[in-house]
Amino acid sequence: MILDPKFLGPSWQLRLQDEFEKPYFKALENFLTDAYKNKIVYPKASDIFQAFQETPFEKVKVVILGQDPYHGEGQAEGLAFSVSTKRPIPPSLVNIFKELQSDLGISMPSNGSLISWAHQGVLLLNTILTVEAEKPKSHHKQGWEIFTDKAIQLLVEDPRPLVFILWGNSAKEKYHHIAKKNDPLHYVLISPHPSPLSSYHGFFGSKPFSKANTFLRKHDKEEINWRIP
């Protein structure tokens, strides 16, 4: 079994376990069983749900939405945009750190692990949770979008003010799930993806980190320390 609900962690498993019994999810399981057997797929199966494990449902304050995992060897670790401390920092993450420096004056980190963000309540979620090596969006429309829609719906319906940061077109497609009720409870920030191809079209200068913290302060929530250890 590639997709085991226990890897979600207790709080998310409680809320998402029913998804595992639905036809779309069983089809996704079959697809991934074949993919992991016959192709190179990232991240490793036990890390697919790492974002949920590291940031329990009740701790979420900020959601950063990306597209799909890094498709290079050893990069993807189940947290959107994050890589192991032992890996070079990918170009998209370099641009995220450049914006962090411009926005908050935080120096360029020496590593690309965003685990400290996850532990503070930043859900680092891709819209698609697996990818074939060197083939971005290769697992598009296999069922992951339905699953991540459900996770976002659960957060939107919970009566807590949250920040949603949507980077890129795949993330932007989730906007209607967040804002469909015209509910001012949540704060949504949308910008182009931080990849080198699109970062100069509105990602740089978007100031998502300071804006998120301003919103959290306004609602008497502890700010995120965006500095990478």
Side-chain angles (χ1 to χ4, degrees), residues 7-108:
F7 290 132
L8 288 166
S11 67
W12 282 105
Q13 182 177 350
L14 178 69
R15 293 166 172 85
L16 289 171
Q17 184 150 355
D18 287 351
E19 297 299 300
F20 287 67
E21 301 304 319
K22 294 181 178 178
Y24 87 87
F25 203 90
K26 291 183 180 296
L28 175 61
E29 171 76 37
N30 292 335
F31 168 78
L32 289 176
T33 297
D34 180 71
Y36 273 90
K37 181 179 178 182
N38 297 302
K39 298 174 181 177
I40 300 173
V41 177
Y42 302 125
K44 62 183 181 181
S46 60
D47 285 347
I48 291 172
F49 296 127
Q50 193 72 6
F52 298 101
Q53 272 194 13
E54 301 294 349
T55 312
F57 179 86
E58 65 277 3
K59 302 237 180 198
V60 176
K61 294 192 286 188
V62 178
V63 181
I64 292 181
L65 280 175
Q67 179 179 284
D68 58 354
Y70 292 122
H71 51 82
E73 182 180 359
Q75 291 181 310
E77 58 174 14
L79 301 173
F81 300 105
S82 181
V83 292
S84 160
T85 56
K86 299 175 183 176
R87 294 283 170 182
I89 302 175
S92 291
L93 188 52
V94 168
N95 285 340
I96 290 170
F97 289 157
K98 284 180 180 178
E99 178 59 20
L100 182 61
Q101 186 170 27
S102 170
D103 187 5
L104 294 177
I106 293 174
S107 301
M108 182 71 67

